[in-house]
Amino acid sequence: PGSDLKVTGVDFLKSQNTRLHHTDAYNIKNLVVRRGQAFQIQLSLSRELKASDKLALRFGIGEKPMKPRGTLMSLNPRREPDFSGWQISIVKNNGKECLVSVTSSPSATVGIYNLNVKTGTNIYKPENGDVYLLFNPWCEDDIVFLADEAQRKEYVLNDTGYIYVGSAYSIYGRPWNFGQFEEFVLDACMYLLDKSNLRLSSRRDPVLVSRAMSALVNANDDRGVLMGNWSGNYDKGTSPLDWMGSVSILQQYYKTKKPVNYGQCWVFAGVLTTVMRCLGIPSRCTSNFNSAHDTDENLRVDIYLNEFGEKLNRMSLDSVWNFHVWNDVWMKRTDLPSGFDGWQAIDSTPQEQSQGAFQCGPCPLKAVRDGDVYLPYDSKFVFAEVNADKVYWVVKKVHGKDKYIKISTETRGIGVNISTKAVGQDKREDITLQYKFPEGSEEERRAMQKATSFIRPSGLGIRARFAATMSTGDMDSKPGVLHETVSKTGLQLEISNTDTLYPGNPLELAITVKTSTPGSWTINLAGSCQLQSYTGKIEASLGYVKETIKLEGKSEAKVPLKIAADSYMKTLALVEDEVLIHITAIAEVQETNDKLTKETTMRFEYPPITVQMPETAKLNEDFACAFIFKNKLNVPLDNCKLLVEGLGIFKMATFDQGDVNPGRIIKSEVICTPTRVGEKKIVAKLTSDQVKAISVEKAITITE
């Protein structure tokens, strides 16, 4: 034969391939493509390709790629397609140039493939020959296929967003930079896949991949990404409130291969969203308000109060978090009976072990909604987070012994205002109805009954140490029909603040007691104010009010509860978490023995940060961005730090501002050089000893 055919070069045609595959934003030298979709490679040859020549593109994955294991795809354009589901064809063959098109299988293993080209006995290894293959929500045959383009833009390609935090009736969005396209983030995700110990054949399945990642984003059993810490002391790392996004966390983890300190639920959820979007699985952060952490799956959370209405930490095995953030990922569930495709909940905050590790999900939202809590994975746990009942007990000392008196059961307070960022808009979308039927509806009752038939039996013997103090009538935790007890008096409680809650000002609160039926009523009211962290842990008791009120017929009385600033400012400075104001009221009608509890959580208000910068800027041309903050509070803010980050504009920067006295204005400036076009967001955050997390973000459009 003529001279041996040799390959002299390979061009991965990166810019045209990545544009078609929606991977052009990844900051990496290598080619990144999505499975089940064609990409082109240009081969340069020593001579023209003839019909008799042997040519094969070999894509190998893992340590020792082998054909029988399906980890080596040898693609020969002249032969029948092989069984792997990959395809290759010659698009154009002229002179010494040969253009080939490769389509991977829509169920191919996700990961890094190394390409070499074999011609006869010669093997050519191109430089940067590693090709990254991702899940493909644009491909109908991929089980993560998402039909709606606006949703793909949001849940796969958007690298900024909000995570909703606060409390059920005081929700605010915390800006978060997901940054899935930033340098080393994709490599960190590939490292996690290797660390997951998933077999290569399991890495084709988003159910197994998302479950493995929910375990690896926390460091609890596998030296994963983030160490959780809720202690209020973060000296040996970064306070969870100081992170502005996932990028520095994943970059630090990839560099050191050691867990990063510290995370709390929104940090875990932010990083898990980054990992999922980076791998190509549509993902969103989901915030559940009044989230039950039910330790024994009995669908009941017991809350213990003293006679002033102050919550007691020591008793509670279960807890209600003001909010808890997890993730939903989008996929078909081919492992389940039909009907459970779509959004699936996964959670990387280490709460409960599942199959021996801190991992949670994927659990179909539809299974939670319909009460099908026998389905994998962890559906009972997720169901309880959004559907448990709250049972209130008052603990009184009688003859030196604790006596537990059940005051009330609340069936609608848990799992409210479930929130995520809306598609294509900077606002909150309420997705409660994707998790549960409307409260009190026929479907909700049916789902509840179905769920309790799977959950109930285990929940009865749990609280043996309290059983002696309860009558068995109290043990029925879920009546078939939920009657909210409407009392004979029409008793109602409302809790409000009569002035803005600025740190450093007295807290002006009020409890309003109302009756609505004819008669004379004598009401014993106890109301308390405490500071608590978002997990419901009480950090300080600030004060209480106890009064007896007389009301006639339809009337109301307003009882003020005022807390002086110096009774709480010390706690604000001591605890490194953001704390919330928690108010609990208990009312007891003497004539009828009716009892009612009401609790609410409020957050402090803070002065804003303002950002001064142009609305548009040009690629690679500098512009200035200024951050201004005026301390309008009447207390100094100690150890102020301003943290700023702008993906594709500038790296994260920190400005130490020292102590900022009342009335003082601070200003910091960054010179920005945009490296990517499109709408970009700049995020700034101010932290201090007293005020933990004032944040702001502003968008700028970068043009060519």
Side-chain angles (χ1 to χ4, degrees), residues 4-6 53-56 58 117-123:
D4 259 3
L5 176 68
K6 286 200 175 85
D53 286 323
K54 285 205 170 90
L55 168 76
R58 308 197 314 173
V117 187
K118 192 173 180 195
T119 50
T121 54
N122 297 309
I123 292 180

Side-chain angles (χ1 to χ4, degrees), residues 38 41 49 108 128 269 341 351 379 386 435 442 489 529-530 656 692:
I41 295 177
L49 182 68
N128 293 335
D341 297 343
Q351 293 192 84
S379 51
V386 298
Y435 272 90
E442 191 59 46
T489 45
C529 179
Q530 295 173 300
D656 281 310
K692 302 300 185 293

Side-chain angles (χ1 to χ4, degrees), residues 192-424:
L192 287 173
L193 274 178
D194 284 342
K195 222 175 134 45
S196 72
N197 296 326
L198 283 177
R199 292 206 306 274
L200 281 167
S201 60
S202 299
R203 294 190 203 177
R204 63 183 67 221
D205 181 355
V207 172
L208 298 175
V209 168
S210 57
R211 182 161 178 77
M213 293 299 143
S214 83
L216 275 163
V217 166
N218 67 67
N220 281 50
D221 10 52
D222 42 29
R223 295 186 61 68
V225 180
L226 270 165
M227 193 49 84
N229 182 343
W230 285 265
S231 69
N233 175 1
Y234 310 115
D235 296 346
K236 295 192 170 63
T238 301
S239 155
L241 281 159
D242 287 2
W243 301 113
M244 308 174 72
S246 314
V247 180
S248 42
I249 296 171
L250 285 163
Q251 286 175 341
Q252 182 185 327
Y253 179 71
Y254 185 61
K255 200 165 100 189
T256 64
K257 308 289 194 282
K258 287 191 180 76
V260 176
N261 296 346
Y262 294 104
Q264 288 177 5
C265 70
W266 69 90
V267 188
F268 289 109
V271 171
L272 189 52
T273 294
T274 301
V275 170
M276 292 288 110
R277 288 184 184 179
C278 187
L279 292 172
I281 299 175
S283 175
R284 64 187 184 189
C285 289
T286 296
S287 301
N288 178 38
F289 289 91
N290 296 347
S291 188
H293 182 176
D294 169 30
T295 51
D296 45 36
E297 285 187 351
N298 65 344
L299 277 191
R300 180 169 115 183
V301 176
D302 294 299
I303 293 170
Y304 300 93
L305 309 170
N306 66 14
E307 51 200 301
F308 307 118
E310 292 173 336
K311 209 155 76 165
L312 304 170
N313 273 346
R314 65 192 165 91
M315 307 292 320
S316 302
L317 301 173
D318 298 336
S319 53
V320 176
W321 292 21
N322 282 292
F323 64 88
H324 177 40
V325 192
W326 60 76
N327 300 83
D328 294 332
V329 283
W330 179 272
M331 62 192 64
K332 287 193 181 69
R333 287 299 293 269
T334 51
D335 56 325
L336 298 182
S338 68
F340 294 100
D341 297 343
W343 289 115
Q344 318 283 323
I346 57 174
D347 190 346
S348 55
T349 299
Q351 293 192 84
E352 296 277 300
Q353 285 196 337
S354 166
Q355 297 177 323
F358 283 97
Q359 55 190 353
C360 179
C363 158
L365 267 54
K366 191 173 177 329
V368 175
R369 201 175 67 164
D370 295 350
D372 289 309
V373 294
Y374 51 88
L375 287 168
Y377 293 91
D378 309 303
S379 51
K380 283 189 177 132
F381 184 71
V382 179
F383 186 87
E385 287 182 304
V386 298
N387 282 310
D389 285 352
K390 278 201 283 199
V391 181
Y392 291 96
W393 305 83
V394 167
V395 185
K396 287 189 177 160
K397 281 263 186 278
V398 179
H399 309 307
K401 278 205 175 80
D402 281 347
K403 182 166 190 257
Y404 299 86
I405 300 151
K406 179 172 169 180
I407 344 177
S408 62
T409 301
E410 192 186 320
T411 58
R412 297 179 173 214
I414 298 280
V416 298
N417 301 344
I418 305 174
S419 303
T420 190
K421 178 189 170 307
V423 173

